[in-house]
C-alpha cells in the first residue's frame, strides 16, 4: 500500500546524510513506494478542526550536496491527506516543540503520528527516565547550589547538564574540589528556569556510552559511542565515534522492562543510553538517532523495521 508520509523535521539542506536517521527513514519509505512531503513545525496551522501545513513534495537520494529535490509547495491537510506524520524535528524541547505535539495530537485519531505526540510531550528524555531510577546512576534534579554541593560531597565528582538539553550540549564535569560549581549553577539558573540534572560522574564513560534502539518495544540494535580525546561526552554530534557492540545481561533487563511501556505509549522509535553496561541515563523519544551506524556495523535494516512497525500499527487501526 502506498502511503502519504509527511515529515516534520528541520531544513533538509542542513542535515548530514551520512548519519542522519530521519534521512534514512525517508530513503526507506521512498523505496517502498511511499509519497514524501517535507515541512517544518513552524508551518503548522489549525482552524475549525483542520490541521494543515505548507509542505513540499520531496524525493531523496544518497548523494552529498544533491540529496533532495522539492516539488512545488502545496497546502497539505495532515488529518485528511496524510497517512503518517513523522515528528522528527530536533530539540530543544521548548514551548514550540510542545505546541507542535498539542496540534498533532488533534489529528492522532485519523493520522498515525510517530512517535505519538502526547507520549512525546509526557516523556521528555531526562524526566521519563526517572520512572526507572533503579537503573540510573545516583541522580539529583535541582536548582539549588546547596543541594548540588551536598551531592558532590557525597559522590566525589559529578556531571551537571540541562534537564531538556540534547546532543551532548552543555554537559559539565565538576571534580571533587567543586571548582566552578557555584559559577556553573549560577549560569544554569540564569539560562534555564527549570531544574537541572546532576549525576554522579561515571568513570566508565571513557569506555563508551551505548545507544540502544528499540522499535515498538523490541531491541533493534545498538552501537557503543566513544568520547573524543579530552572529552567526557560521547555523542556523535560532538565528536564521538561509534563501534560495534553487544548487549550485557543488565542492558537486556533494562530493555525488557522498558519495552512494553514504550509500545503501550505509541513510542515506536526510541533510543536509550546506557553507560558502563549498566547505568541508564536517557530515554530518547523526540528525535532519536543511531540507526545508520547500527546498519553499518550489524547490517540490520532498522529503518525497515520501523516501517514494518508502522505498517502493523496502520493495520491494527484499520481492523
Amino acid at each position: 500500500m502506498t502511503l502519504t508520509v509527511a515529515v516534520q523535521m528541520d531544513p533538509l539542506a542542513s542535515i548530514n546524510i551520512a548519519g542522519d536517521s530521519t534521512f534514512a527513514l525517508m530513503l526507506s519509505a521512498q523505496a517502498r513506494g511511499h509519497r514524501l512531503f517535507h515541512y517544518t513545525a513552524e508551518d503548522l496551522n489549525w482552524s475549525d478542526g483542520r490541521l494543515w501545513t505548507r509542505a513540499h513534495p520531496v524525493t531523496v537520494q544518497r548523494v552529498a550536496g544533491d540529496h533532495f529535490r522539492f516539488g512545488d509547495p502545496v497546502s497539505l491537510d495532515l488529518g485528511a491527506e496524510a497517512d503518517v506524520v513523522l515528528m522528527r524535528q530536533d530539540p530543544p524541547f521548548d514551548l514550540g516543540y510542545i505546541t507542535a505535539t498539542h496540534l498533532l495530537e488533534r489529528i492522532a485519531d485519523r493520522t498515525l503520528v510517530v512517535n505519538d505526540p502526547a507520549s512525546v510531550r509526557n516523556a521528555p528524555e531526562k524526566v521519563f527516565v526517572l520512572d526507572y531510577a533503579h537503573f540510573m546512576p545516583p541522580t539529583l534534579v535541582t536548582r539549588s547550589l546547596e543541594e548540588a554541593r551536598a551531592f558532590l560531597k557525597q559522590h566525589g565528582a559529578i556531571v551537571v547538564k540541562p534537564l531538556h538539553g540534547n546532543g551532548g550540549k552543555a554537559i559539565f564535569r565538576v571534580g571533587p574540589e567543586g571548582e566552578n560549581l557555584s559559577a556553573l549553577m549560577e549560569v544554569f539558573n540564569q539560562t534555564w528556569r527549570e531544574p537541572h540534572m546532576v549525576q554522579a560522574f561515571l568513570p566508565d564513560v571513557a569506555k563508551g556510552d551505548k545507544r540502544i534502539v528499540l522499535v515498538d518495544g523490541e531491541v533493534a540494535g545498538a552501537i557503543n559511542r566513544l568520547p573524543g580525546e579530552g572529552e567526557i561526552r560521547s555523542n556523535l554530534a560532538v565528536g564521538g565515534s561509534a563501534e560495534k557492540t553487544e548487549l550485557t545481561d543488565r542492558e537486556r533487563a533494562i530493555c525488557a522492562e522498558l519495552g512494553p511501556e514504550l509500545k503501550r505509549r505509541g513510542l515506536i522509535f526510541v533510543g536509550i543510553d546506557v553507560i558502563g553496561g549498566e547505568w541508564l541515563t536517557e530515554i530518547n523519544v523526540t528525535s532519536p538517532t543511531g540507526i545508520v551506524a547500527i546498519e553499518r556495523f550489524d547490517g540490520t535494516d532498522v529503518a525497515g523495521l520501523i516501517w514494518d512497525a508502522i505498517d502493523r500499527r496502520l493495520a491494527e487501526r484499520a481492523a
Side-chain angles (χ1 to χ4, degrees), residues 212 214 217 219 247 250-260 272:
I212 305 170
L214 295 97
V219 174
L247 298 193
R250 163 89 164 190
E251 288 165 341
R252 293 188 185 281
I254 292 171
C255 293
E257 186 164 331
L258 266 63
I272 68 171

Side-chain angles (χ1 to χ4, degrees), residues 92-105:
F93 193 72
D94 55 14
L95 282 175
Y97 209 116
I98 291 169
T99 300
T101 69
H102 280 293
L103 292 174
L104 288 172
E105 188 180 2

Side-chain angles (χ1 to χ4, degrees), residues 65-83:
D66 187 25
H67 55 280
F68 72 98
R69 300 285 174 86
F70 276 160
D72 293 334
V74 298
S75 178
L76 184 67
D77 187 320
L78 296 176
E81 298 174 324
D83 299 297

